Amino acid sequence: TSPSMPAAVVPDQGVGATPLQRFDRDDVLQRYTGSILLGATGIVLLLAALLTLVLQLNRRLKRALDSSHHLERDLRRTAESLEARVTERTAELMLRMDVLDHINRGLPLEDILTSLVRQVESQHPATLCIILLLEPNHAYRTYGTTRGLPECYLKLVQSFDTEGNGAPPGKR
């Protein structure tokens, strides 16, 4: 800094400098601080230049704060979305591990499939599930039905055969 410049003022540093440093104060200060004694006009002009500087810095700070608030909100939304996805994926993996554990322990197929249906329905409450297996005699066997399915639907499913595109016998 020059001897006539106050110590708190930093000269223009160019690209990469802070907003305070990018303001071209050298020109303003050289015009109005050439001597220790300033006239009334010089003081008014210096105060006007300083006020302009403060207003510019205030606008820049407000833009930076607004930008940081938007970034913070976006980051929060992304974190919530990722947390939901991790929770959902963890539940799916736990379901798979549970089914594999049932198989490994040698549980009956009906128990495994019923457990599978109940777990899927617990993860997706708006879903009702049923598993149909085709037996060698061309009849469907239901597994994993839950109390949520209507009785008339279960009776209809149990009456299906493989001929007639799944239509109940006599309804082809």
Side-chain angles (χ1 to χ4, degrees), residues 100-131:
L100 290 173
D101 180 57
H102 286 28
I103 293 169
N104 191 39
R105 292 188 318 186
L107 293 179
L109 180 61
E110 186 171 352
D111 292 348
I112 294 170
L113 296 178
T114 300
S115 174
L116 174 64
V117 165
R118 288 203 173 113
Q119 288 182 35
V120 167
E121 287 181 341
S122 71
Q123 288 178 15
H124 306 282
T127 304
L128 298 176
C129 300
I130 186 171
I131 296 175

PDB file of all heavy atoms in Angstrom, residues 100-131:
ATOM      1  N   LEU A 100     -33.329 -66.453   1.479  1.00  0.00           N
ATOM      2  CA  LEU A 100     -32.204 -67.394   1.357  1.00  0.00           C
ATOM      3  C   LEU A 100     -31.961 -68.146   2.666  1.00  0.00           C
ATOM      4  O   LEU A 100     -31.635 -69.333   2.655  1.00  0.00           O
ATOM      5  CB  LEU A 100     -30.941 -66.659   0.905  1.00  0.00           C
ATOM      6  CG  LEU A 100     -30.957 -66.145  -0.533  1.00  0.00           C
ATOM      7  CD1 LEU A 100     -29.726 -65.282  -0.797  1.00  0.00           C
ATOM      8  CD2 LEU A 100     -31.045 -67.292  -1.518  1.00  0.00           C
ATOM      9  N   ASP A 101     -32.135 -67.460   3.779  1.00  0.00           N
ATOM     10  CA  ASP A 101     -31.973 -68.122   5.074  1.00  0.00           C
ATOM     11  C   ASP A 101     -33.043 -69.211   5.254  1.00  0.00           C
ATOM     12  O   ASP A 101     -32.735 -70.304   5.735  1.00  0.00           O
ATOM     13  CB  ASP A 101     -32.080 -67.093   6.203  1.00  0.00           C
ATOM     14  CG  ASP A 101     -31.920 -67.719   7.561  1.00  0.00           C
ATOM     15  OD1 ASP A 101     -30.867 -68.361   7.797  1.00  0.00           O
ATOM     16  OD2 ASP A 101     -32.847 -67.580   8.386  1.00  0.00           O
ATOM     17  N   HIS A 102     -34.301 -68.925   4.864  1.00  0.00           N
ATOM     18  CA  HIS A 102     -35.374 -69.923   4.952  1.00  0.00           C
ATOM     19  C   HIS A 102     -35.045 -71.144   4.084  1.00  0.00           C
ATOM     20  O   HIS A 102     -35.247 -72.283   4.510  1.00  0.00           O
ATOM     21  CB  HIS A 102     -36.709 -69.320   4.512  1.00  0.00           C
ATOM     22  CG  HIS A 102     -37.313 -68.375   5.507  1.00  0.00           C
ATOM     23  ND1 HIS A 102     -36.594 -67.642   6.399  1.00  0.00           N
ATOM     24  CD2 HIS A 102     -38.612 -68.042   5.721  1.00  0.00           C
ATOM     25  CE1 HIS A 102     -37.400 -66.899   7.117  1.00  0.00           C
ATOM     26  NE2 HIS A 102     -38.638 -67.123   6.732  1.00  0.00           N
ATOM     27  N   ILE A 103     -34.538 -70.884   2.891  1.00  0.00           N
ATOM     28  CA  ILE A 103     -34.178 -71.981   1.984  1.00  0.00           C
ATOM     29  C   ILE A 103     -33.039 -72.798   2.592  1.00  0.00           C
ATOM     30  O   ILE A 103     -33.068 -74.032   2.608  1.00  0.00           O
ATOM     31  CB  ILE A 103     -33.794 -71.443   0.591  1.00  0.00           C
ATOM     32  CG1 ILE A 103     -35.022 -70.844  -0.094  1.00  0.00           C
ATOM     33  CG2 ILE A 103     -33.167 -72.533  -0.263  1.00  0.00           C
ATOM     34  CD1 ILE A 103     -34.706 -70.051  -1.354  1.00  0.00           C
ATOM     35  N   ASN A 104     -32.034 -72.096   3.112  1.00  0.00           N
ATOM     36  CA  ASN A 104     -30.868 -72.755   3.697  1.00  0.00           C
ATOM     37  C   ASN A 104     -31.252 -73.626   4.896  1.00  0.00           C
ATOM     38  O   ASN A 104     -30.667 -74.683   5.111  1.00  0.00           O
ATOM     39  CB  ASN A 104     -29.834 -71.706   4.112  1.00  0.00           C
ATOM     40  CG  ASN A 104     -28.506 -72.315   4.487  1.00  0.00           C
ATOM     41  OD1 ASN A 104     -28.054 -73.257   3.854  1.00  0.00           O
ATOM     42  ND2 ASN A 104     -27.894 -71.761   5.518  1.00  0.00           N
ATOM     43  N   ARG A 105     -32.243 -73.178   5.670  1.00  0.00           N
ATOM     44  CA  ARG A 105     -32.679 -73.955   6.833  1.00  0.00           C
ATOM     45  C   ARG A 105     -33.599 -75.110   6.449  1.00  0.00           C
ATOM     46  O   ARG A 105     -33.970 -75.913   7.295  1.00  0.00           O
ATOM     47  CB  ARG A 105     -33.380 -73.049   7.831  1.00  0.00           C
ATOM     48  CG  ARG A 105     -32.427 -72.059   8.481  1.00  0.00           C
ATOM     49  CD  ARG A 105     -33.060 -71.299   9.603  1.00  0.00           C
ATOM     50  NE  ARG A 105     -34.421 -70.890   9.243  1.00  0.00           N
ATOM     51  CZ  ARG A 105     -35.190 -70.107   9.977  1.00  0.00           C
ATOM     52  NH1 ARG A 105     -34.735 -69.654  11.106  1.00  0.00           N
ATOM     53  NH2 ARG A 105     -36.393 -69.776   9.593  1.00  0.00           N
ATOM     54  N   GLY A 106     -33.987 -75.162   5.165  1.00  0.00           N
ATOM     55  CA  GLY A 106     -34.814 -76.266   4.694  1.00  0.00           C
ATOM     56  C   GLY A 106     -36.284 -76.139   5.052  1.00  0.00           C
ATOM     57  O   GLY A 106     -36.990 -77.150   5.155  1.00  0.00           O
ATOM     58  N   LEU A 107     -36.775 -74.917   5.212  1.00  0.00           N
ATOM     59  CA  LEU A 107     -38.192 -74.728   5.519  1.00  0.00           C
ATOM     60  C   LEU A 107     -39.047 -75.166   4.336  1.00  0.00           C
ATOM     61  O   LEU A 107     -38.601 -75.112   3.181  1.00  0.00           O
ATOM     62  CB  LEU A 107     -38.473 -73.256   5.849  1.00  0.00           C
ATOM     63  CG  LEU A 107     -37.849 -72.719   7.140  1.00  0.00           C
ATOM     64  CD1 LEU A 107     -38.195 -71.254   7.320  1.00  0.00           C
ATOM     65  CD2 LEU A 107     -38.306 -73.523   8.344  1.00  0.00           C
ATOM     66  N   PRO A 108     -40.293 -75.569   4.578  1.00  0.00           N
ATOM     67  CA  PRO A 108     -41.178 -75.956   3.477  1.00  0.00           C
ATOM     68  C   PRO A 108     -41.422 -74.782   2.527  1.00  0.00           C
ATOM     69  O   PRO A 108     -41.433 -73.622   2.943  1.00  0.00           O
ATOM     70  CB  PRO A 108     -42.479 -76.366   4.180  1.00  0.00           C
ATOM     71  CG  PRO A 108     -42.124 -76.562   5.606  1.00  0.00           C
ATOM     72  CD  PRO A 108     -40.909 -75.745   5.883  1.00  0.00           C
ATOM     73  N   LEU A 109     -41.625 -75.106   1.245  1.00  0.00           N
ATOM     74  CA  LEU A 109     -41.839 -74.085   0.217  1.00  0.00           C
ATOM     75  C   LEU A 109     -43.001 -73.157   0.588  1.00  0.00           C
ATOM     76  O   LEU A 109     -42.909 -71.941   0.400  1.00  0.00           O
ATOM     77  CB  LEU A 109     -42.101 -74.750  -1.144  1.00  0.00           C
ATOM     78  CG  LEU A 109     -42.337 -73.804  -2.311  1.00  0.00           C
ATOM     79  CD1 LEU A 109     -41.113 -72.913  -2.543  1.00  0.00           C
ATOM     80  CD2 LEU A 109     -42.669 -74.593  -3.577  1.00  0.00           C
ATOM     81  N   GLU A 110     -44.061 -73.722   1.111  1.00  0.00           N
ATOM     82  CA  GLU A 110     -45.223 -72.898   1.470  1.00  0.00           C
ATOM     83  C   GLU A 110     -44.847 -71.841   2.506  1.00  0.00           C
ATOM     84  O   GLU A 110     -45.255 -70.683   2.391  1.00  0.00           O
ATOM     85  CB  GLU A 110     -46.351 -73.783   2.004  1.00  0.00           C
ATOM     86  CG  GLU A 110     -47.619 -72.992   2.262  1.00  0.00           C
ATOM     87  CD  GLU A 110     -48.802 -73.887   2.588  1.00  0.00           C
ATOM     88  OE1 GLU A 110     -48.701 -75.120   2.471  1.00  0.00           O
ATOM     89  OE2 GLU A 110     -49.832 -73.328   2.958  1.00  0.00           O
ATOM     90  N   ASP A 111     -44.050 -72.197   3.494  1.00  0.00           N
ATOM     91  CA  ASP A 111     -43.616 -71.236   4.515  1.00  0.00           C
ATOM     92  C   ASP A 111     -42.730 -70.141   3.910  1.00  0.00           C
ATOM     93  O   ASP A 111     -42.852 -68.963   4.245  1.00  0.00           O
ATOM     94  CB  ASP A 111     -42.852 -71.944   5.636  1.00  0.00           C
ATOM     95  CG  ASP A 111     -43.733 -72.867   6.464  1.00  0.00           C
ATOM     96  OD1 ASP A 111     -44.978 -72.795   6.317  1.00  0.00           O
ATOM     97  OD2 ASP A 111     -43.169 -73.665   7.243  1.00  0.00           O
ATOM     98  N   ILE A 112     -41.842 -70.548   3.021  1.00  0.00           N
ATOM     99  CA  ILE A 112     -40.933 -69.579   2.380  1.00  0.00           C
ATOM    100  C   ILE A 112     -41.729 -68.584   1.546  1.00  0.00           C
ATOM    101  O   ILE A 112     -41.533 -67.371   1.648  1.00  0.00           O
ATOM    102  CB  ILE A 112     -39.889 -70.302   1.507  1.00  0.00           C
ATOM    103  CG1 ILE A 112     -38.963 -71.151   2.378  1.00  0.00           C
ATOM    104  CG2 ILE A 112     -39.079 -69.302   0.685  1.00  0.00           C
ATOM    105  CD1 ILE A 112     -38.067 -72.090   1.596  1.00  0.00           C
ATOM    106  N   LEU A 113     -42.652 -69.081   0.722  1.00  0.00           N
ATOM    107  CA  LEU A 113     -43.420 -68.193  -0.158  1.00  0.00           C
ATOM    108  C   LEU A 113     -44.383 -67.312   0.633  1.00  0.00           C
ATOM    109  O   LEU A 113     -44.575 -66.137   0.307  1.00  0.00           O
ATOM    110  CB  LEU A 113     -44.157 -69.011  -1.220  1.00  0.00           C
ATOM    111  CG  LEU A 113     -43.241 -69.773  -2.192  1.00  0.00           C
ATOM    112  CD1 LEU A 113     -44.071 -70.591  -3.174  1.00  0.00           C
ATOM    113  CD2 LEU A 113     -42.307 -68.840  -2.920  1.00  0.00           C
ATOM    114  N   THR A 114     -44.977 -67.853   1.679  1.00  0.00           N
ATOM    115  CA  THR A 114     -45.857 -67.041   2.525  1.00  0.00           C
ATOM    116  C   THR A 114     -45.069 -65.923   3.200  1.00  0.00           C
ATOM    117  O   THR A 114     -45.514 -64.770   3.242  1.00  0.00           O
ATOM    118  CB  THR A 114     -46.556 -67.924   3.577  1.00  0.00           C
ATOM    119  OG1 THR A 114     -47.325 -68.926   2.900  1.00  0.00           O
ATOM    120  CG2 THR A 114     -47.460 -67.109   4.482  1.00  0.00           C
ATOM    121  N   SER A 115     -43.888 -66.240   3.687  1.00  0.00           N
ATOM    122  CA  SER A 115     -43.026 -65.219   4.292  1.00  0.00           C
ATOM    123  C   SER A 115     -42.641 -64.153   3.269  1.00  0.00           C
ATOM    124  O   SER A 115     -42.652 -62.955   3.569  1.00  0.00           O
ATOM    125  CB  SER A 115     -41.774 -65.885   4.861  1.00  0.00           C
ATOM    126  OG  SER A 115     -40.863 -64.924   5.322  1.00  0.00           O
ATOM    127  N   LEU A 116     -42.328 -64.589   2.070  1.00  0.00           N
ATOM    128  CA  LEU A 116     -41.961 -63.655   1.003  1.00  0.00           C
ATOM    129  C   LEU A 116     -43.100 -62.685   0.713  1.00  0.00           C
ATOM    130  O   LEU A 116     -42.907 -61.466   0.646  1.00  0.00           O
ATOM    131  CB  LEU A 116     -41.583 -64.427  -0.261  1.00  0.00           C
ATOM    132  CG  LEU A 116     -41.309 -63.604  -1.516  1.00  0.00           C
ATOM    133  CD1 LEU A 116     -40.091 -62.718  -1.317  1.00  0.00           C
ATOM    134  CD2 LEU A 116     -41.109 -64.526  -2.707  1.00  0.00           C
ATOM    135  N   VAL A 117     -44.317 -63.200   0.573  1.00  0.00           N
ATOM    136  CA  VAL A 117     -45.473 -62.349   0.283  1.00  0.00           C
ATOM    137  C   VAL A 117     -45.715 -61.361   1.417  1.00  0.00           C
ATOM    138  O   VAL A 117     -45.939 -60.168   1.184  1.00  0.00           O
ATOM    139  CB  VAL A 117     -46.728 -63.216   0.025  1.00  0.00           C
ATOM    140  CG1 VAL A 117     -47.994 -62.383   0.085  1.00  0.00           C
ATOM    141  CG2 VAL A 117     -46.609 -63.902  -1.323  1.00  0.00           C
ATOM    142  N   ARG A 118     -45.635 -61.802   2.631  1.00  0.00           N
ATOM    143  CA  ARG A 118     -45.890 -60.912   3.786  1.00  0.00           C
ATOM    144  C   ARG A 118     -44.831 -59.798   3.863  1.00  0.00           C
ATOM    145  O   ARG A 118     -45.146 -58.654   4.165  1.00  0.00           O
ATOM    146  CB  ARG A 118     -45.931 -61.730   5.069  1.00  0.00           C
ATOM    147  CG  ARG A 118     -47.190 -62.570   5.130  1.00  0.00           C
ATOM    148  CD  ARG A 118     -47.565 -62.962   6.536  1.00  0.00           C
ATOM    149  NE  ARG A 118     -48.865 -63.616   6.501  1.00  0.00           N
ATOM    150  CZ  ARG A 118     -49.066 -64.887   6.786  1.00  0.00           C
ATOM    151  NH1 ARG A 118     -48.052 -65.646   7.133  1.00  0.00           N
ATOM    152  NH2 ARG A 118     -50.279 -65.393   6.737  1.00  0.00           N
ATOM    153  N   GLN A 119     -43.606 -60.156   3.579  1.00  0.00           N
ATOM    154  CA  GLN A 119     -42.552 -59.139   3.632  1.00  0.00           C
ATOM    155  C   GLN A 119     -42.713 -58.112   2.512  1.00  0.00           C
ATOM    156  O   GLN A 119     -42.512 -56.918   2.734  1.00  0.00           O
ATOM    157  CB  GLN A 119     -41.181 -59.802   3.570  1.00  0.00           C
ATOM    158  CG  GLN A 119     -40.831 -60.537   4.852  1.00  0.00           C
ATOM    159  CD  GLN A 119     -39.451 -61.154   4.782  1.00  0.00           C
ATOM    160  OE1 GLN A 119     -38.555 -60.591   4.175  1.00  0.00           O
ATOM    161  NE2 GLN A 119     -39.287 -62.299   5.412  1.00  0.00           N
ATOM    162  N   VAL A 120     -43.067 -58.576   1.307  1.00  0.00           N
ATOM    163  CA  VAL A 120     -43.270 -57.639   0.192  1.00  0.00           C
ATOM    164  C   VAL A 120     -44.431 -56.698   0.524  1.00  0.00           C
ATOM    165  O   VAL A 120     -44.356 -55.488   0.311  1.00  0.00           O
ATOM    166  CB  VAL A 120     -43.532 -58.390  -1.133  1.00  0.00           C
ATOM    167  CG1 VAL A 120     -44.041 -57.450  -2.209  1.00  0.00           C
ATOM    168  CG2 VAL A 120     -42.257 -59.088  -1.592  1.00  0.00           C
ATOM    169  N   GLU A 121     -45.509 -57.250   1.066  1.00  0.00           N
ATOM    170  CA  GLU A 121     -46.650 -56.415   1.423  1.00  0.00           C
ATOM    171  C   GLU A 121     -46.316 -55.439   2.548  1.00  0.00           C
ATOM    172  O   GLU A 121     -46.827 -54.322   2.567  1.00  0.00           O
ATOM    173  CB  GLU A 121     -47.848 -57.289   1.814  1.00  0.00           C
ATOM    174  CG  GLU A 121     -48.492 -57.959   0.631  1.00  0.00           C
ATOM    175  CD  GLU A 121     -49.696 -58.799   1.001  1.00  0.00           C
ATOM    176  OE1 GLU A 121     -49.857 -59.180   2.186  1.00  0.00           O
ATOM    177  OE2 GLU A 121     -50.486 -59.085   0.084  1.00  0.00           O
ATOM    178  N   SER A 122     -45.443 -55.833   3.461  1.00  0.00           N
ATOM    179  CA  SER A 122     -45.061 -54.908   4.534  1.00  0.00           C
ATOM    180  C   SER A 122     -44.188 -53.773   4.002  1.00  0.00           C
ATOM    181  O   SER A 122     -44.262 -52.648   4.486  1.00  0.00           O
ATOM    182  CB  SER A 122     -44.353 -55.644   5.667  1.00  0.00           C
ATOM    183  OG  SER A 122     -43.066 -56.054   5.277  1.00  0.00           O
ATOM    184  N   GLN A 123     -43.378 -54.050   2.984  1.00  0.00           N
ATOM    185  CA  GLN A 123     -42.542 -53.004   2.386  1.00  0.00           C
ATOM    186  C   GLN A 123     -43.352 -52.084   1.483  1.00  0.00           C
ATOM    187  O   GLN A 123     -43.007 -50.918   1.309  1.00  0.00           O
ATOM    188  CB  GLN A 123     -41.403 -53.631   1.581  1.00  0.00           C
ATOM    189  CG  GLN A 123     -40.343 -54.269   2.427  1.00  0.00           C
ATOM    190  CD  GLN A 123     -39.257 -54.914   1.576  1.00  0.00           C
ATOM    191  OE1 GLN A 123     -39.140 -54.668   0.388  1.00  0.00           O
ATOM    192  NE2 GLN A 123     -38.454 -55.750   2.208  1.00  0.00           N
ATOM    193  N   HIS A 124     -44.407 -52.607   0.904  1.00  0.00           N
ATOM    194  CA  HIS A 124     -45.256 -51.841  -0.015  1.00  0.00           C
ATOM    195  C   HIS A 124     -46.708 -52.001   0.436  1.00  0.00           C
ATOM    196  O   HIS A 124     -47.431 -52.851  -0.076  1.00  0.00           O
ATOM    197  CB  HIS A 124     -45.071 -52.342  -1.454  1.00  0.00           C
ATOM    198  CG  HIS A 124     -43.640 -52.354  -1.895  1.00  0.00           C
ATOM    199  ND1 HIS A 124     -42.976 -51.219  -2.287  1.00  0.00           N
ATOM    200  CD2 HIS A 124     -42.720 -53.364  -1.966  1.00  0.00           C
ATOM    201  CE1 HIS A 124     -41.731 -51.522  -2.602  1.00  0.00           C
ATOM    202  NE2 HIS A 124     -41.546 -52.812  -2.405  1.00  0.00           N
ATOM    203  N   PRO A 125     -47.134 -51.208   1.409  1.00  0.00           N
ATOM    204  CA  PRO A 125     -48.434 -51.402   2.053  1.00  0.00           C
ATOM    205  C   PRO A 125     -49.643 -51.350   1.105  1.00  0.00           C
ATOM    206  O   PRO A 125     -50.670 -51.952   1.396  1.00  0.00           O
ATOM    207  CB  PRO A 125     -48.510 -50.256   3.062  1.00  0.00           C
ATOM    208  CG  PRO A 125     -47.107 -49.828   3.276  1.00  0.00           C
ATOM    209  CD  PRO A 125     -46.377 -50.133   2.017  1.00  0.00           C
ATOM    210  N   ALA A 126     -49.544 -50.677  -0.006  1.00  0.00           N
ATOM    211  CA  ALA A 126     -50.679 -50.590  -0.930  1.00  0.00           C
ATOM    212  C   ALA A 126     -50.764 -51.817  -1.841  1.00  0.00           C
ATOM    213  O   ALA A 126     -51.635 -51.883  -2.709  1.00  0.00           O
ATOM    214  CB  ALA A 126     -50.561 -49.322  -1.774  1.00  0.00           C
ATOM    215  N   THR A 127     -49.889 -52.791  -1.661  1.00  0.00           N
ATOM    216  CA  THR A 127     -49.817 -53.954  -2.537  1.00  0.00           C
ATOM    217  C   THR A 127     -50.413 -55.185  -1.866  1.00  0.00           C
ATOM    218  O   THR A 127     -50.192 -55.426  -0.689  1.00  0.00           O
ATOM    219  CB  THR A 127     -48.336 -54.250  -2.878  1.00  0.00           C
ATOM    220  OG1 THR A 127     -47.758 -53.083  -3.440  1.00  0.00           O
ATOM    221  CG2 THR A 127     -48.209 -55.392  -3.848  1.00  0.00           C
ATOM    222  N   LEU A 128     -51.180 -55.945  -2.634  1.00  0.00           N
ATOM    223  CA  LEU A 128     -51.667 -57.255  -2.198  1.00  0.00           C
ATOM    224  C   LEU A 128     -51.011 -58.287  -3.101  1.00  0.00           C
ATOM    225  O   LEU A 128     -50.948 -58.105  -4.312  1.00  0.00           O
ATOM    226  CB  LEU A 128     -53.194 -57.344  -2.321  1.00  0.00           C
ATOM    227  CG  LEU A 128     -53.982 -56.357  -1.459  1.00  0.00           C
ATOM    228  CD1 LEU A 128     -55.466 -56.476  -1.751  1.00  0.00           C
ATOM    229  CD2 LEU A 128     -53.705 -56.586   0.017  1.00  0.00           C
ATOM    230  N   CYS A 129     -50.524 -59.372  -2.512  1.00  0.00           N
ATOM    231  CA  CYS A 129     -49.755 -60.354  -3.282  1.00  0.00           C
ATOM    232  C   CYS A 129     -50.350 -61.749  -3.163  1.00  0.00           C
ATOM    233  O   CYS A 129     -50.976 -62.087  -2.165  1.00  0.00           O
ATOM    234  CB  CYS A 129     -48.320 -60.413  -2.776  1.00  0.00           C
ATOM    235  SG  CYS A 129     -47.430 -58.868  -2.891  1.00  0.00           S
ATOM    236  N   ILE A 130     -50.082 -62.533  -4.184  1.00  0.00           N
ATOM    237  CA  ILE A 130     -50.385 -63.960  -4.185  1.00  0.00           C
ATOM    238  C   ILE A 130     -49.385 -64.611  -5.133  1.00  0.00           C
ATOM    239  O   ILE A 130     -48.965 -64.005  -6.121  1.00  0.00           O
ATOM    240  CB  ILE A 130     -51.830 -64.234  -4.632  1.00  0.00           C
ATOM    241  CG1 ILE A 130     -52.185 -65.710  -4.481  1.00  0.00           C
ATOM    242  CG2 ILE A 130     -52.071 -63.767  -6.050  1.00  0.00           C
ATOM    243  CD1 ILE A 130     -53.661 -66.011  -4.689  1.00  0.00           C
ATOM    244  N   ILE A 131     -48.978 -65.825  -4.809  1.00  0.00           N
ATOM    245  CA  ILE A 131     -48.067 -66.567  -5.678  1.00  0.00           C
ATOM    246  C   ILE A 131     -48.826 -67.792  -6.174  1.00  0.00           C
ATOM    247  O   ILE A 131     -49.390 -68.546  -5.379  1.00  0.00           O
ATOM    248  CB  ILE A 131     -46.790 -66.992  -4.932  1.00  0.00           C
ATOM    249  CG1 ILE A 131     -46.014 -65.746  -4.505  1.00  0.00           C
ATOM    250  CG2 ILE A 131     -45.926 -67.891  -5.814  1.00  0.00           C
ATOM    251  CD1 ILE A 131     -44.797 -66.040  -3.665  1.00  0.00           C
TER     252      ILE A 131
END
